Amino acid sequence: MSEGFTLEEAARFMRSLGVVQTLNLDGGGSTAMAVNGHLANVTSDATGERPVGDTVQVLP
């Protein structure tokens, strides 16, 4: 299980990749990540995932 990045850690990581502009998206307790159709994290919100239609997709 992962606790994820703090904003400062995320900024340092992005800089280490050479990124000069980035955007922080909501990383709240209901945030879920799916890889190849399978949930890749455990939400920390007691109510679990929420039915929200916003996604960020990384496609080949």
Side-chain angles (χ1 to χ4, degrees):
M1 189 162 142
S2 173
E3 294 181 16
F5 283 137
T6 65
L7 286 178
E8 184 177 336
E9 290 167 338
R12 266 189 265 128
F13 177 69
M14 296 305 281
R15 278 191 222 114
S16 78
L17 297 175
V19 174
V20 292
Q21 289 187 338
T22 189
L23 175 69
N24 178 53
L25 302 173
D26 176 30
S30 67
T31 299
M33 178 178 172
V35 177
N36 294 324
H38 300 283
L39 190 61
N41 71 314
V42 178
T43 59
S44 62
D45 191 310
T47 61
E49 298 173 65
R50 295 184 197 140
V52 178
D54 296 335
T55 67
V56 174
Q57 297 183 20
V58 179
L59 304 171

